[in-house]
Amino acid sequence: TVKTTANAADNIHTKTHTTDLVTATDYQCEELISQHVQHHFPSHAVIAEESSGSDKYTLTDQPTWTIDPIDGTTNFVHQLKLSCVIVSFLQDQQVKVGVVYHPYSDELFFAVQGQGAFLQTGGPNAVPVPIRVSTTTELGQAVVSMEPGYGREPARVARFCALQQRVLNSGVRNLRMLGTTGLNLAHVACGRLDAAWEEGSWKSGVGAKIWDFAAGRLLIH
């Protein structure tokens, strides 16, 4: 599992480039979750990060599960305890259920469409508590997460740095870079962060993919 793997540097590979990593644990966790989903819902589609690859895919109206077995693989490889597991269920291209699990703190963030968002800490017998976004309205009181994504092309780097500069010059309280879309969005959902932004565009196929953000979007909304 993510939490109990003794050697995070287990069989590391790169995908699109050196900033985009994958490990044997990614594949093992994805297989475990996919098999569980397919056993209980054999007619449902599954879009999982490692099996789907980096190419843009097509999301249909049929019941679909998205899986990110380790969101924050670079953190995992470098033994920074900022990685999570993300699972979501969609139908008619709408997120119906979203789950983000942070194994290191044993925090389970989950939401069901129309029923609110919750945080369960300390195992399956713990009582979930409702969560909500912060009420901060002033940038000077806000802590904002900003992620550069994987691209290191000069134009993308310059755009990201220019945006950071604009936010800092606007008087933001502080910036954070956690290295995991799932935890960024979960922390926005429970008010620990006031906002989160990541370089990229789903329409252009660059940046965070649906397995990264579907669950977090429901947590926040």
Side-chain angles (χ1 to χ4, degrees):
T1 65
V2 177
K3 185 177 180 180
T4 59
T5 300
N7 180 15
D10 56 340
N11 197 17
I12 301 171
H13 299 282
T14 59
K15 292 189 285 186
T16 55
H17 31 68
T18 58
T19 60
D20 191 5
L21 305 179
V22 63
T23 71
T25 306
D26 287 88
Y27 291 112
Q28 292 164 1
C29 289
E30 180 171 298
E31 182 179 11
L32 178 67
I33 300 169
S34 296
Q35 288 179 348
H36 185 78
V37 168
Q38 291 168 342
H39 174 74
H40 290 281
F41 307 99
S43 64
H44 291 191
V46 174
I47 299 175
E49 178 178 13
E50 308 313 336
S51 56
S52 296
S54 300
D55 294 334
K56 189 174 180 181
Y57 46 81
T58 301
L59 177 66
T60 69
D61 289 339
Q62 75 176 109
T64 302
W65 296 81
T66 71
I67 302 168
D68 190 342
I70 303 180
D71 182 54
T73 299
T74 299
N75 289 341
F76 177 68
V77 167
H78 289 270
Q79 300 184 42
L80 298 169
K81 295 183 178 181
L82 288 169
S83 303
C84 64
V85 181
I86 311 174
V87 179
S88 70
F89 172 69
L90 300 89
Q91 188 161 12
D92 299 324
Q93 301 188 34
Q94 299 297 314
V95 188
K96 304 296 184 181
V97 178
V99 176
V100 175
Y101 179 58
H102 185 213
Y104 300 108
S105 62
D106 198 12
E107 290 184 315
L108 180 71
F109 302 84
F110 67 93
V112 179
Q113 188 182 53
Q115 299 182 31
F118 300 86
L119 171 58
Q120 185 176 27
T121 305
N125 296 323
V127 177
V129 296
I131 57 176
R132 57 167 295 169
V133 298
S134 80
T135 57
T136 300
T137 59
E138 300 294 332
L139 195 59
Q141 299 175 352
V143 177
V144 178
S145 172
M146 299 185 70
E147 300 289 347
Y150 296 126
R152 297 296 181 266
E153 300 87 352
R156 291 181 64 181
V157 171
R159 183 169 61 247
F160 177 74
C161 291
L163 183 57
Q164 275 193 318
Q165 184 178 17
R166 287 183 62 184
V167 174
L168 287 168
N169 287 341
S170 297
V172 68
R173 176 167 285 172
N174 220 322
L175 298 179
R176 293 292 181 264
M177 192 181 296
L178 302 185
T180 156
T181 304
L183 287 182
N184 281 332
L185 295 179
H187 289 162
V188 170
C190 71
R192 295 173 184 171
L193 291 173
D194 299 292
W197 180 91
E198 184 162 346
E199 170 70 21
S201 166
W202 167 241
K203 290 183 179 180
S204 65
V206 176
K209 303 295 191 293
I210 196 166
W211 50 72
D212 295 305
F213 61 74
R217 179 178 180 179
L218 184 62
L219 285 170
I220 293 169
H221 284 260

PDB file of all heavy atoms in Angstrom, residues 80-111:
ATOM      1  N   LEU A  80       8.145  12.179   0.885  1.00  0.00           N
ATOM      2  CA  LEU A  80       7.371  13.265   1.488  1.00  0.00           C
ATOM      3  C   LEU A  80       5.944  12.746   1.666  1.00  0.00           C
ATOM      4  O   LEU A  80       5.341  12.267   0.713  1.00  0.00           O
ATOM      5  CB  LEU A  80       7.369  14.494   0.580  1.00  0.00           C
ATOM      6  CG  LEU A  80       8.725  15.133   0.307  1.00  0.00           C
ATOM      7  CD1 LEU A  80       8.606  16.167  -0.806  1.00  0.00           C
ATOM      8  CD2 LEU A  80       9.265  15.779   1.571  1.00  0.00           C
ATOM      9  N   LYS A  81       5.414  12.839   2.837  1.00  0.00           N
ATOM     10  CA  LYS A  81       4.132  12.194   3.127  1.00  0.00           C
ATOM     11  C   LYS A  81       2.948  13.060   2.679  1.00  0.00           C
ATOM     12  O   LYS A  81       2.069  13.428   3.446  1.00  0.00           O
ATOM     13  CB  LYS A  81       4.057  11.859   4.616  1.00  0.00           C
ATOM     14  CG  LYS A  81       5.107  10.823   5.020  1.00  0.00           C
ATOM     15  CD  LYS A  81       5.006  10.423   6.473  1.00  0.00           C
ATOM     16  CE  LYS A  81       6.043   9.348   6.807  1.00  0.00           C
ATOM     17  NZ  LYS A  81       5.955   8.913   8.217  1.00  0.00           N
ATOM     18  N   LEU A  82       2.968  13.361   1.391  1.00  0.00           N
ATOM     19  CA  LEU A  82       1.919  14.159   0.761  1.00  0.00           C
ATOM     20  C   LEU A  82       1.486  13.463  -0.524  1.00  0.00           C
ATOM     21  O   LEU A  82       1.711  13.961  -1.631  1.00  0.00           O
ATOM     22  CB  LEU A  82       2.413  15.574   0.478  1.00  0.00           C
ATOM     23  CG  LEU A  82       2.587  16.493   1.680  1.00  0.00           C
ATOM     24  CD1 LEU A  82       3.335  17.757   1.291  1.00  0.00           C
ATOM     25  CD2 LEU A  82       1.223  16.854   2.278  1.00  0.00           C
ATOM     26  N   SER A  83       0.897  12.305  -0.378  1.00  0.00           N
ATOM     27  CA  SER A  83       0.356  11.549  -1.497  1.00  0.00           C
ATOM     28  C   SER A  83      -1.012  11.035  -1.086  1.00  0.00           C
ATOM     29  O   SER A  83      -1.275  10.831   0.105  1.00  0.00           O
ATOM     30  CB  SER A  83       1.263  10.367  -1.867  1.00  0.00           C
ATOM     31  OG  SER A  83       2.571  10.793  -2.171  1.00  0.00           O
ATOM     32  N   CYS A  84      -1.881  10.796  -2.055  1.00  0.00           N
ATOM     33  CA  CYS A  84      -3.222  10.331  -1.739  1.00  0.00           C
ATOM     34  C   CYS A  84      -3.737   9.402  -2.826  1.00  0.00           C
ATOM     35  O   CYS A  84      -3.153   9.294  -3.907  1.00  0.00           O
ATOM     36  CB  CYS A  84      -4.178  11.502  -1.530  1.00  0.00           C
ATOM     37  SG  CYS A  84      -4.426  12.525  -3.005  1.00  0.00           S
ATOM     38  N   VAL A  85      -4.845   8.745  -2.532  1.00  0.00           N
ATOM     39  CA  VAL A  85      -5.552   7.894  -3.487  1.00  0.00           C
ATOM     40  C   VAL A  85      -6.861   8.598  -3.838  1.00  0.00           C
ATOM     41  O   VAL A  85      -7.561   9.091  -2.948  1.00  0.00           O
ATOM     42  CB  VAL A  85      -5.847   6.507  -2.890  1.00  0.00           C
ATOM     43  CG1 VAL A  85      -6.559   5.626  -3.908  1.00  0.00           C
ATOM     44  CG2 VAL A  85      -4.564   5.841  -2.397  1.00  0.00           C
ATOM     45  N   ILE A  86      -7.177   8.669  -5.134  1.00  0.00           N
ATOM     46  CA  ILE A  86      -8.383   9.375  -5.579  1.00  0.00           C
ATOM     47  C   ILE A  86      -9.255   8.430  -6.396  1.00  0.00           C
ATOM     48  O   ILE A  86      -8.777   7.804  -7.351  1.00  0.00           O
ATOM     49  CB  ILE A  86      -8.040  10.598  -6.447  1.00  0.00           C
ATOM     50  CG1 ILE A  86      -6.966  11.469  -5.801  1.00  0.00           C
ATOM     51  CG2 ILE A  86      -9.294  11.410  -6.723  1.00  0.00           C
ATOM     52  CD1 ILE A  86      -6.484  12.603  -6.689  1.00  0.00           C
ATOM     53  N   VAL A  87     -10.527   8.351  -6.024  1.00  0.00           N
ATOM     54  CA  VAL A  87     -11.497   7.547  -6.775  1.00  0.00           C
ATOM     55  C   VAL A  87     -12.769   8.368  -6.949  1.00  0.00           C
ATOM     56  O   VAL A  87     -13.208   9.043  -6.000  1.00  0.00           O
ATOM     57  CB  VAL A  87     -11.832   6.227  -6.049  1.00  0.00           C
ATOM     58  CG1 VAL A  87     -12.863   5.429  -6.830  1.00  0.00           C
ATOM     59  CG2 VAL A  87     -10.574   5.392  -5.825  1.00  0.00           C
ATOM     60  N   SER A  88     -13.345   8.320  -8.139  1.00  0.00           N
ATOM     61  CA  SER A  88     -14.626   8.990  -8.347  1.00  0.00           C
ATOM     62  C   SER A  88     -15.520   8.128  -9.219  1.00  0.00           C
ATOM     63  O   SER A  88     -15.053   7.271  -9.981  1.00  0.00           O
ATOM     64  CB  SER A  88     -14.437  10.374  -8.983  1.00  0.00           C
ATOM     65  OG  SER A  88     -14.016  10.255 -10.326  1.00  0.00           O
ATOM     66  N   PHE A  89     -16.828   8.356  -9.100  1.00  0.00           N
ATOM     67  CA  PHE A  89     -17.820   7.677  -9.927  1.00  0.00           C
ATOM     68  C   PHE A  89     -18.634   8.729 -10.665  1.00  0.00           C
ATOM     69  O   PHE A  89     -19.147   9.677 -10.051  1.00  0.00           O
ATOM     70  CB  PHE A  89     -18.744   6.809  -9.083  1.00  0.00           C
ATOM     71  CG  PHE A  89     -19.901   6.241  -9.847  1.00  0.00           C
ATOM     72  CD1 PHE A  89     -19.693   5.268 -10.813  1.00  0.00           C
ATOM     73  CD2 PHE A  89     -21.193   6.694  -9.623  1.00  0.00           C
ATOM     74  CE1 PHE A  89     -20.754   4.751 -11.547  1.00  0.00           C
ATOM     75  CE2 PHE A  89     -22.260   6.183 -10.345  1.00  0.00           C
ATOM     76  CZ  PHE A  89     -22.048   5.200 -11.311  1.00  0.00           C
ATOM     77  N   LEU A  90     -18.745   8.566 -11.985  1.00  0.00           N
ATOM     78  CA  LEU A  90     -19.483   9.509 -12.825  1.00  0.00           C
ATOM     79  C   LEU A  90     -20.558   8.783 -13.626  1.00  0.00           C
ATOM     80  O   LEU A  90     -20.376   7.621 -14.019  1.00  0.00           O
ATOM     81  CB  LEU A  90     -18.557  10.232 -13.805  1.00  0.00           C
ATOM     82  CG  LEU A  90     -17.412  11.076 -13.246  1.00  0.00           C
ATOM     83  CD1 LEU A  90     -16.158  10.246 -13.060  1.00  0.00           C
ATOM     84  CD2 LEU A  90     -17.111  12.252 -14.182  1.00  0.00           C
ATOM     85  N   GLN A  91     -21.644   9.473 -13.870  1.00  0.00           N
ATOM     86  CA  GLN A  91     -22.676   8.995 -14.775  1.00  0.00           C
ATOM     87  C   GLN A  91     -23.224  10.198 -15.528  1.00  0.00           C
ATOM     88  O   GLN A  91     -23.404  11.272 -14.936  1.00  0.00           O
ATOM     89  CB  GLN A  91     -23.792   8.276 -14.027  1.00  0.00           C
ATOM     90  CG  GLN A  91     -24.791   7.598 -14.957  1.00  0.00           C
ATOM     91  CD  GLN A  91     -25.609   6.542 -14.253  1.00  0.00           C
ATOM     92  OE1 GLN A  91     -25.607   6.441 -13.032  1.00  0.00           O
ATOM     93  NE2 GLN A  91     -26.313   5.735 -15.031  1.00  0.00           N
ATOM     94  N   ASP A  92     -23.459  10.023 -16.828  1.00  0.00           N
ATOM     95  CA  ASP A  92     -23.859  11.144 -17.678  1.00  0.00           C
ATOM     96  C   ASP A  92     -22.862  12.290 -17.579  1.00  0.00           C
ATOM     97  O   ASP A  92     -23.223  13.468 -17.600  1.00  0.00           O
ATOM     98  CB  ASP A  92     -25.261  11.629 -17.309  1.00  0.00           C
ATOM     99  CG  ASP A  92     -26.314  10.541 -17.503  1.00  0.00           C
ATOM    100  OD1 ASP A  92     -26.182   9.766 -18.464  1.00  0.00           O
ATOM    101  OD2 ASP A  92     -27.235  10.463 -16.671  1.00  0.00           O
ATOM    102  N   GLN A  93     -21.586  11.924 -17.410  1.00  0.00           N
ATOM    103  CA  GLN A  93     -20.471  12.863 -17.331  1.00  0.00           C
ATOM    104  C   GLN A  93     -20.549  13.788 -16.125  1.00  0.00           C
ATOM    105  O   GLN A  93     -19.909  14.837 -16.094  1.00  0.00           O
ATOM    106  CB  GLN A  93     -20.356  13.682 -18.629  1.00  0.00           C
ATOM    107  CG  GLN A  93     -20.159  12.824 -19.863  1.00  0.00           C
ATOM    108  CD  GLN A  93     -19.851  13.618 -21.104  1.00  0.00           C
ATOM    109  OE1 GLN A  93     -19.196  14.646 -21.052  1.00  0.00           O
ATOM    110  NE2 GLN A  93     -20.312  13.136 -22.251  1.00  0.00           N
ATOM    111  N   GLN A  94     -21.327  13.409 -15.122  1.00  0.00           N
ATOM    112  CA  GLN A  94     -21.435  14.167 -13.885  1.00  0.00           C
ATOM    113  C   GLN A  94     -20.874  13.342 -12.732  1.00  0.00           C
ATOM    114  O   GLN A  94     -21.146  12.140 -12.633  1.00  0.00           O
ATOM    115  CB  GLN A  94     -22.899  14.528 -13.595  1.00  0.00           C
ATOM    116  CG  GLN A  94     -23.543  15.392 -14.661  1.00  0.00           C
ATOM    117  CD  GLN A  94     -22.877  16.749 -14.786  1.00  0.00           C
ATOM    118  OE1 GLN A  94     -22.611  17.419 -13.785  1.00  0.00           O
ATOM    119  NE2 GLN A  94     -22.602  17.165 -16.017  1.00  0.00           N
ATOM    120  N   VAL A  95     -20.095  13.992 -11.872  1.00  0.00           N
ATOM    121  CA  VAL A  95     -19.508  13.279 -10.741  1.00  0.00           C
ATOM    122  C   VAL A  95     -20.586  13.028  -9.690  1.00  0.00           C
ATOM    123  O   VAL A  95     -21.197  13.967  -9.179  1.00  0.00           O
ATOM    124  CB  VAL A  95     -18.342  14.076 -10.116  1.00  0.00           C
ATOM    125  CG1 VAL A  95     -17.628  13.214  -9.077  1.00  0.00           C
ATOM    126  CG2 VAL A  95     -17.356  14.532 -11.183  1.00  0.00           C
ATOM    127  N   LYS A  96     -20.799  11.765  -9.370  1.00  0.00           N
ATOM    128  CA  LYS A  96     -21.812  11.386  -8.391  1.00  0.00           C
ATOM    129  C   LYS A  96     -21.204  11.082  -7.025  1.00  0.00           C
ATOM    130  O   LYS A  96     -21.816  11.346  -5.990  1.00  0.00           O
ATOM    131  CB  LYS A  96     -22.579  10.153  -8.878  1.00  0.00           C
ATOM    132  CG  LYS A  96     -23.225  10.315 -10.241  1.00  0.00           C
ATOM    133  CD  LYS A  96     -24.294  11.394 -10.236  1.00  0.00           C
ATOM    134  CE  LYS A  96     -25.009  11.489 -11.581  1.00  0.00           C
ATOM    135  NZ  LYS A  96     -26.038  12.543 -11.589  1.00  0.00           N
ATOM    136  N   VAL A  97     -19.995  10.523  -7.023  1.00  0.00           N
ATOM    137  CA  VAL A  97     -19.298  10.184  -5.784  1.00  0.00           C
ATOM    138  C   VAL A  97     -17.825  10.525  -5.950  1.00  0.00           C
ATOM    139  O   VAL A  97     -17.240  10.256  -7.008  1.00  0.00           O
ATOM    140  CB  VAL A  97     -19.434   8.680  -5.436  1.00  0.00           C
ATOM    141  CG1 VAL A  97     -18.662   8.339  -4.155  1.00  0.00           C
ATOM    142  CG2 VAL A  97     -20.900   8.284  -5.296  1.00  0.00           C
ATOM    143  N   GLY A  98     -17.227  11.128  -4.941  1.00  0.00           N
ATOM    144  CA  GLY A  98     -15.807  11.451  -4.980  1.00  0.00           C
ATOM    145  C   GLY A  98     -15.138  11.110  -3.669  1.00  0.00           C
ATOM    146  O   GLY A  98     -15.688  11.381  -2.597  1.00  0.00           O
ATOM    147  N   VAL A  99     -13.961  10.489  -3.755  1.00  0.00           N
ATOM    148  CA  VAL A  99     -13.220  10.067  -2.559  1.00  0.00           C
ATOM    149  C   VAL A  99     -11.755  10.446  -2.717  1.00  0.00           C
ATOM    150  O   VAL A  99     -11.147  10.184  -3.759  1.00  0.00           O
ATOM    151  CB  VAL A  99     -13.327   8.542  -2.335  1.00  0.00           C
ATOM    152  CG1 VAL A  99     -12.472   8.122  -1.139  1.00  0.00           C
ATOM    153  CG2 VAL A  99     -14.766   8.119  -2.144  1.00  0.00           C
ATOM    154  N   VAL A 100     -11.201  11.069  -1.693  1.00  0.00           N
ATOM    155  CA  VAL A 100      -9.756  11.330  -1.609  1.00  0.00           C
ATOM    156  C   VAL A 100      -9.289  10.794  -0.271  1.00  0.00           C
ATOM    157  O   VAL A 100      -9.786  11.213   0.779  1.00  0.00           O
ATOM    158  CB  VAL A 100      -9.445  12.843  -1.715  1.00  0.00           C
ATOM    159  CG1 VAL A 100      -7.937  13.080  -1.505  1.00  0.00           C
ATOM    160  CG2 VAL A 100      -9.885  13.399  -3.062  1.00  0.00           C
ATOM    161  N   TYR A 101      -8.337   9.866  -0.307  1.00  0.00           N
ATOM    162  CA  TYR A 101      -7.832   9.263   0.936  1.00  0.00           C
ATOM    163  C   TYR A 101      -6.360   9.589   1.120  1.00  0.00           C
ATOM    164  O   TYR A 101      -5.532   9.325   0.245  1.00  0.00           O
ATOM    165  CB  TYR A 101      -8.027   7.750   0.917  1.00  0.00           C
ATOM    166  CG  TYR A 101      -7.507   7.067   2.165  1.00  0.00           C
ATOM    167  CD1 TYR A 101      -7.994   7.421   3.425  1.00  0.00           C
ATOM    168  CD2 TYR A 101      -6.516   6.090   2.091  1.00  0.00           C
ATOM    169  CE1 TYR A 101      -7.508   6.822   4.576  1.00  0.00           C
ATOM    170  CE2 TYR A 101      -6.037   5.470   3.239  1.00  0.00           C
ATOM    171  CZ  TYR A 101      -6.533   5.840   4.479  1.00  0.00           C
ATOM    172  OH  TYR A 101      -6.051   5.240   5.631  1.00  0.00           O
ATOM    173  N   HIS A 102      -6.048  10.186   2.276  1.00  0.00           N
ATOM    174  CA  HIS A 102      -4.665  10.500   2.635  1.00  0.00           C
ATOM    175  C   HIS A 102      -4.200   9.464   3.658  1.00  0.00           C
ATOM    176  O   HIS A 102      -4.525   9.571   4.848  1.00  0.00           O
ATOM    177  CB  HIS A 102      -4.580  11.910   3.226  1.00  0.00           C
ATOM    178  CG  HIS A 102      -3.179  12.350   3.500  1.00  0.00           C
ATOM    179  ND1 HIS A 102      -2.851  13.187   4.550  1.00  0.00           N
ATOM    180  CD2 HIS A 102      -2.014  12.071   2.872  1.00  0.00           C
ATOM    181  CE1 HIS A 102      -1.547  13.393   4.548  1.00  0.00           C
ATOM    182  NE2 HIS A 102      -1.017  12.735   3.542  1.00  0.00           N
ATOM    183  N   PRO A 103      -3.471   8.451   3.226  1.00  0.00           N
ATOM    184  CA  PRO A 103      -3.148   7.333   4.126  1.00  0.00           C
ATOM    185  C   PRO A 103      -2.255   7.712   5.295  1.00  0.00           C
ATOM    186  O   PRO A 103      -2.347   7.097   6.364  1.00  0.00           O
ATOM    187  CB  PRO A 103      -2.456   6.322   3.201  1.00  0.00           C
ATOM    188  CG  PRO A 103      -1.937   7.133   2.062  1.00  0.00           C
ATOM    189  CD  PRO A 103      -2.929   8.239   1.869  1.00  0.00           C
ATOM    190  N   TYR A 104      -1.407   8.709   5.125  1.00  0.00           N
ATOM    191  CA  TYR A 104      -0.462   9.048   6.181  1.00  0.00           C
ATOM    192  C   TYR A 104      -1.149   9.665   7.393  1.00  0.00           C
ATOM    193  O   TYR A 104      -0.680   9.511   8.528  1.00  0.00           O
ATOM    194  CB  TYR A 104       0.609   9.995   5.638  1.00  0.00           C
ATOM    195  CG  TYR A 104       1.402   9.400   4.506  1.00  0.00           C
ATOM    196  CD1 TYR A 104       1.225   9.837   3.200  1.00  0.00           C
ATOM    197  CD2 TYR A 104       2.330   8.374   4.735  1.00  0.00           C
ATOM    198  CE1 TYR A 104       1.947   9.279   2.153  1.00  0.00           C
ATOM    199  CE2 TYR A 104       3.052   7.811   3.697  1.00  0.00           C
ATOM    200  CZ  TYR A 104       2.854   8.269   2.406  1.00  0.00           C
ATOM    201  OH  TYR A 104       3.560   7.706   1.377  1.00  0.00           O
ATOM    202  N   SER A 105      -2.247  10.364   7.167  1.00  0.00           N
ATOM    203  CA  SER A 105      -3.006  10.942   8.284  1.00  0.00           C
ATOM    204  C   SER A 105      -4.303  10.185   8.541  1.00  0.00           C
ATOM    205  O   SER A 105      -5.050  10.528   9.451  1.00  0.00           O
ATOM    206  CB  SER A 105      -3.340  12.418   7.994  1.00  0.00           C
ATOM    207  OG  SER A 105      -4.150  12.529   6.836  1.00  0.00           O
ATOM    208  N   ASP A 106      -4.556   9.156   7.733  1.00  0.00           N
ATOM    209  CA  ASP A 106      -5.785   8.360   7.815  1.00  0.00           C
ATOM    210  C   ASP A 106      -7.010   9.269   7.732  1.00  0.00           C
ATOM    211  O   ASP A 106      -7.970   9.124   8.487  1.00  0.00           O
ATOM    212  CB  ASP A 106      -5.817   7.525   9.102  1.00  0.00           C
ATOM    213  CG  ASP A 106      -6.824   6.381   9.021  1.00  0.00           C
ATOM    214  OD1 ASP A 106      -7.309   6.100   7.909  1.00  0.00           O
ATOM    215  OD2 ASP A 106      -7.135   5.786  10.066  1.00  0.00           O
ATOM    216  N   GLU A 107      -6.965  10.186   6.754  1.00  0.00           N
ATOM    217  CA  GLU A 107      -8.084  11.095   6.513  1.00  0.00           C
ATOM    218  C   GLU A 107      -8.787  10.696   5.216  1.00  0.00           C
ATOM    219  O   GLU A 107      -8.147  10.620   4.158  1.00  0.00           O
ATOM    220  CB  GLU A 107      -7.608  12.540   6.418  1.00  0.00           C
ATOM    221  CG  GLU A 107      -7.121  13.112   7.748  1.00  0.00           C
ATOM    222  CD  GLU A 107      -6.748  14.569   7.634  1.00  0.00           C
ATOM    223  OE1 GLU A 107      -6.056  14.936   6.653  1.00  0.00           O
ATOM    224  OE2 GLU A 107      -7.134  15.349   8.522  1.00  0.00           O
ATOM    225  N   LEU A 108     -10.083  10.452   5.316  1.00  0.00           N
ATOM    226  CA  LEU A 108     -10.892  10.090   4.161  1.00  0.00           C
ATOM    227  C   LEU A 108     -11.869  11.225   3.877  1.00  0.00           C
ATOM    228  O   LEU A 108     -12.788  11.492   4.659  1.00  0.00           O
ATOM    229  CB  LEU A 108     -11.658   8.800   4.437  1.00  0.00           C
ATOM    230  CG  LEU A 108     -12.552   8.291   3.302  1.00  0.00           C
ATOM    231  CD1 LEU A 108     -11.694   7.769   2.149  1.00  0.00           C
ATOM    232  CD2 LEU A 108     -13.492   7.203   3.800  1.00  0.00           C
ATOM    233  N   PHE A 109     -11.654  11.917   2.761  1.00  0.00           N
ATOM    234  CA  PHE A 109     -12.553  12.963   2.308  1.00  0.00           C
ATOM    235  C   PHE A 109     -13.510  12.338   1.297  1.00  0.00           C
ATOM    236  O   PHE A 109     -13.065  11.681   0.346  1.00  0.00           O
ATOM    237  CB  PHE A 109     -11.780  14.094   1.624  1.00  0.00           C
ATOM    238  CG  PHE A 109     -10.733  14.754   2.480  1.00  0.00           C
ATOM    239  CD1 PHE A 109      -9.454  14.217   2.600  1.00  0.00           C
ATOM    240  CD2 PHE A 109     -11.018  15.933   3.158  1.00  0.00           C
ATOM    241  CE1 PHE A 109      -8.487  14.829   3.373  1.00  0.00           C
ATOM    242  CE2 PHE A 109     -10.052  16.559   3.939  1.00  0.00           C
ATOM    243  CZ  PHE A 109      -8.788  16.004   4.054  1.00  0.00           C
ATOM    244  N   PHE A 110     -14.805  12.538   1.465  1.00  0.00           N
ATOM    245  CA  PHE A 110     -15.730  11.956   0.500  1.00  0.00           C
ATOM    246  C   PHE A 110     -16.969  12.821   0.344  1.00  0.00           C
ATOM    247  O   PHE A 110     -17.332  13.596   1.245  1.00  0.00           O
ATOM    248  CB  PHE A 110     -16.124  10.526   0.899  1.00  0.00           C
ATOM    249  CG  PHE A 110     -16.946  10.410   2.156  1.00  0.00           C
ATOM    250  CD1 PHE A 110     -18.324  10.381   2.112  1.00  0.00           C
ATOM    251  CD2 PHE A 110     -16.317  10.311   3.400  1.00  0.00           C
ATOM    252  CE1 PHE A 110     -19.079  10.265   3.271  1.00  0.00           C
ATOM    253  CE2 PHE A 110     -17.064  10.197   4.571  1.00  0.00           C
ATOM    254  CZ  PHE A 110     -18.454  10.171   4.501  1.00  0.00           C
ATOM    255  N   ALA A 111     -17.591  12.693  -0.823  1.00  0.00           N
ATOM    256  CA  ALA A 111     -18.809  13.454  -1.121  1.00  0.00           C
ATOM    257  C   ALA A 111     -19.707  12.621  -2.010  1.00  0.00           C
ATOM    258  O   ALA A 111     -19.240  11.849  -2.855  1.00  0.00           O
ATOM    259  CB  ALA A 111     -18.464  14.778  -1.802  1.00  0.00           C
TER     260      ALA A 111
END
